[in-house]
């Protein structure tokens, strides 16, 4: 099928590339000429494992092309994916300005029947809104359908998630559009949830809010563990074996962040509020998350006997491993709080350093973890990159001024590290 993807960010680039890989002809368009320039020179604007090879394969096979001409992309395609950002507005609601702009452009360029697919995470009612905007911008009356098809991929495993999703959700009332969407995804083996647009839109928010709730819950339990002397890892293990609970999203840490959970949680609270429901539970989930970051800084402060004037090595900046995404990363917040308390942070991340340089001030950016720990009075692990588990801890012990480790991701074996002479504290253990 001829597919257009508008918005070539984390979601658009992965979606477009994977659709090209399963046999579709794909045109990707973005208003960011720099991003498109990079892609056309064979470079990726983001870090996502395995994506480099896939994009290059598809470019070689001429099954994917990148450009800035939205009109042309619309005209070439039978199915059009809207993959632009929907960041938080001042009041917590989703800012739909990018979606609206794209809908207007699609309407103005529409030359024959097309299915317009909303892949961006958007509030209930957005399918109807996009329909209305397209209608208003049509030069002559044309038939078209707008479908809600929320995205569930996770940065860091986005390609695997595209090819092996837990489900594909299609929200539409048009049999013609549902038929085309089913054909488009035919090579992907996954349960299809075909539903109305409002339910499809809400499925995405409800799923993210549920996962955020699970993380906040386990973080709250980790705080109880700290108070009563239990070990959250043992508690989570015992809980996770219960199939009704499961092991996923049961890791205590500095709280959830990234480009989705925080903004989607805020948006769902606002959606509910606008509809007359006070979503107190979700507000609590969000508060626990905010508090968790502060608690981590407080505990680090306690562990170090005060941090003013001291040097702290911070390992990890991305909101989770295997991505360079630092949007609403707990690591960034924690580093800022540590700096405000008068400490000097020496920071390292395997792939997110460049992104962090654009937003972090008054810190030392280091090229490797060993540079970060040199002369440090304390070390905090903020992202559980695999490589941090296998560091030369004997060397680190020798290079640090004071061997204090706060493992905010519970990724190091406490017994082993204590045997090397470190003072170790994890989250809830
Ligand atoms: P992103 O910020 O990485 O990418 C958005 C892209 O849209 C940017 O490249 C931007 O230049 C482009 N854009 C903005 N306005 C445009 C316009 N008028 N025409 C063409 N391009 C335009 O965002 P993302 O992380 O890919 O997220 C996109 C959507 O998908 C959001 O709604 C997000 O909530 C949702 N989502 C994201 C993830 C994720 O893990 N990142 C997962 C599931 C769903």
């Amino acid at each position: 099928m001829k597919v257009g993807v508008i918005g070539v960010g984390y979601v658009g680039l992965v979606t477009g590339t994977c659709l090209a890989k399963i046999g579709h002809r794909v045109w990707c368009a973005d208003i960011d000429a720099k991003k498109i320039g990079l892609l056309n020179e064979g470079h990726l604007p983001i870090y996502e494992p395995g994506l480099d090879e896939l994009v290059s394969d598809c470019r070689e096979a001429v099954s994917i092309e990148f450009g800035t001409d939205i009109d042309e992309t619309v005209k070439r395609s039978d199915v059009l994916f809207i993959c632009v950002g929907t960041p938080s507005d001042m009041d917590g609601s989703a800012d739909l300005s990018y979606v609206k702009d794209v809908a207007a452009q699609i309407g103005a360029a529409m030359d024959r029947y097309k299915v317009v697919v909303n892949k961006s995470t958007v509030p209930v009612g957005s399918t109807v809104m996009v329909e209305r905007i397209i209608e208003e911008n049509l030069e002559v009356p044309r038939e078209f359908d707008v479908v809600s098809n929320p995205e569930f991929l996770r940065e860091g495993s986005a390609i695997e998630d595209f090819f092996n999703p837990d489900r594909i959700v299609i929200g539409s009332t048009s049999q013609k559009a549902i038929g085309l969407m089913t054909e488009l995804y035919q090579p992907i083996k996954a349960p299809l949830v075909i539903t109305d647009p409002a339910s499809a839109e809400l499925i995405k928010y409800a799923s993210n809010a549920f996962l955020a709730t699970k993380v906040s819950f386990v973080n709250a339990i980790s705080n109880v563990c700290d108070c009563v002397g239990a070990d959250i890892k043992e508690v989570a293990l015992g809980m996770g074996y219960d199939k009704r609970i499961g092991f996923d999203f049961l890791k205590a840490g500095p709280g959830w962040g990234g480009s989705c959970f925080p903004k989607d949680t805020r948006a769902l609270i606002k959606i509910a509020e606008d509809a007359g429901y006070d979503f107190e539970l979700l507000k609590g989930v969000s508060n626990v998350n905010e508090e968790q970051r502060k608690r981590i800084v407080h505990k680090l402060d306690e562990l170090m006997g005060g941090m003013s004037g001291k040097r702290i090595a911070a390992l990890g900046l991305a909101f989770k491993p295997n991505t360079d995404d630092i949007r609403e990363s707990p690591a960034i917040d924690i580093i800022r709080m540590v700096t405000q308390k008068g400490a000097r942070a020496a920071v390292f991340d395997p792939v997110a350093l460049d992104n962090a340089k654009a937003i972090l001030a008054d810190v030392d950016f280091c090229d490797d973890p060993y540079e970060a720990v040199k002369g440090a009075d304390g070390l905090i692990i903020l992202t559980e990159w695999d490589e941090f588990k296998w560091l030369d801890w004997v060397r680190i012990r020798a290079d640090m001024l004071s061997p204090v480790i706060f493992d905010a991701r519970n990724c190091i074996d406490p017994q082993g590290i204590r045997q090397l002479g470190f003072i170790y504290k994890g989250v809830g253990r």
Side-chain angles (χ1 to χ4, degrees), residues 214-291:
K214 219 174 159 188
V215 176
S216 279
F217 183 84
V218 81
N219 279 339
I221 295 290
S222 81
N223 296 330
V224 178
C225 285
D226 272 339
C227 300
V228 301
D231 183 333
I232 187 64
K233 275 217 159 178
E234 300 297 312
V235 175
L237 183 73
M239 288 170 70
Y241 274 116
D242 186 327
K243 289 189 195 69
R244 295 167 302 176
I245 298 172
F247 290 106
D248 290 340
F249 285 77
L250 220 54
K251 279 193 192 134
W256 35 271
S259 65
C260 291
F261 282 14
K263 83 169 172 64
D264 293 351
T265 305
R266 285 191 289 267
L268 183 51
I269 290 170
K270 189 71 173 65
I271 290 168
E273 188 187 308
D274 290 348
Y277 177 67
D278 183 4
F279 207 150
E280 265 191 81
L281 171 66
L282 202 51
K283 286 180 184 168
V285 165
S286 191
N287 289 340
V288 167
N289 199 51
E290 288 299 308
E291 279 305 309

Side-chain angles (χ1 to χ4, degrees), residues 20-281:
K21 190 71 189 169
I22 60 172
H24 301 297
R25 179 69 173 90
V26 180
W27 290 273
C28 292
D30 200 292
I31 41 165
D32 186 339
K34 199 172 148 207
K35 217 173 233 189
I36 296 299
L38 273 174
L39 284 160
N40 283 330
E41 284 161 17
H43 306 295
L44 286 201
I46 55 165
Y47 173 81
E48 180 61 41
L51 189 57
D52 222 340
E53 296 82 351
L54 216 54
V55 171
S56 125
D57 284 358
C58 295
R59 283 184 73 227
E60 249 170 60
V62 204
S63 52
I64 197 163
E65 277 176 67
F66 301 99
T68 51
D69 192 336
I70 314 274
D71 286 12
E72 202 52 42
T73 304
V74 175
K75 291 201 166 79
R76 283 172 170 161
S77 314
D78 296 320
V79 179
L80 272 161
F81 280 86
I82 302 178
C83 299
V84 294
T86 48
S88 277
D89 224 331
M90 297 292 276
D91 62 356
S93 63
D95 172 358
L96 296 176
S97 53
Y98 304 109
V99 174
K100 288 177 182 171
D101 286 351
V102 172
Q105 278 179 291
I106 292 175
M110 181 94 70
D111 55 351
R112 60 180 189 277
Y113 174 82
K114 290 172 202 296
V115 178
V116 178
V117 185
N118 217 342
K119 211 168 223 338
S120 296
T121 303
V122 285
V124 178
S126 300
T127 304
V128 177
M129 179 200 77
V130 168
E131 261 165 20
R132 184 179 41 77
I133 296 174
I134 293 177
E135 193 78 57
E136 284 167 2
N137 285 275
L138 289 175
E139 276 184 10
V140 291
R142 294 206 189 273
E143 194 201 345
F144 68 93
D145 282 306
V146 181
V147 169
S148 167
N149 172 219
E151 181 52 61
F152 300 96
L153 63 74
R154 297 159 300 173
E155 289 172 18
S157 55
I159 294 169
E160 165 68 17
D161 291 345
F162 181 93
F163 289 120
N164 299 292
D166 290 337
R167 76 299 210 186
I168 294 170
V169 174
I170 296 170
S172 174
T173 47
S174 154
Q175 284 313 314
K176 187 171 176 181
I178 292 168
L180 279 167
M181 290 301 288
T182 310
E183 195 187 326
L184 182 92
Y185 283 120
Q186 195 273 329
I188 308 289
K189 301 288 165 252
L192 273 183
V193 179
I194 296 170
T195 182
D196 60 281
S199 302
E201 287 159 346
L202 199 52
I203 285 169
K204 172 65 192 175
Y205 282 110
S207 303
N208 274 1
F210 185 80
L211 295 173
T213 303
K214 219 174 159 188
V215 176
S216 279
F217 183 84
V218 81
N219 279 339
I221 295 290
S222 81
N223 296 330
V224 178
C225 285
D226 272 339
C227 300
V228 301
D231 183 333
I232 187 64
K233 275 217 159 178
E234 300 297 312
V235 175
L237 183 73
M239 288 170 70
Y241 274 116
D242 186 327
K243 289 189 195 69
R244 295 167 302 176
I245 298 172
F247 290 106
D248 290 340
F249 285 77
L250 220 54
K251 279 193 192 134
W256 35 271
S259 65
C260 291
F261 282 14
K263 83 169 172 64
D264 293 351
T265 305
R266 285 191 289 267
L268 183 51
I269 290 170
K270 189 71 173 65
I271 290 168
E273 188 187 308
D274 290 348
Y277 177 67
D278 183 4
F279 207 150
E280 265 191 81
L281 171 66

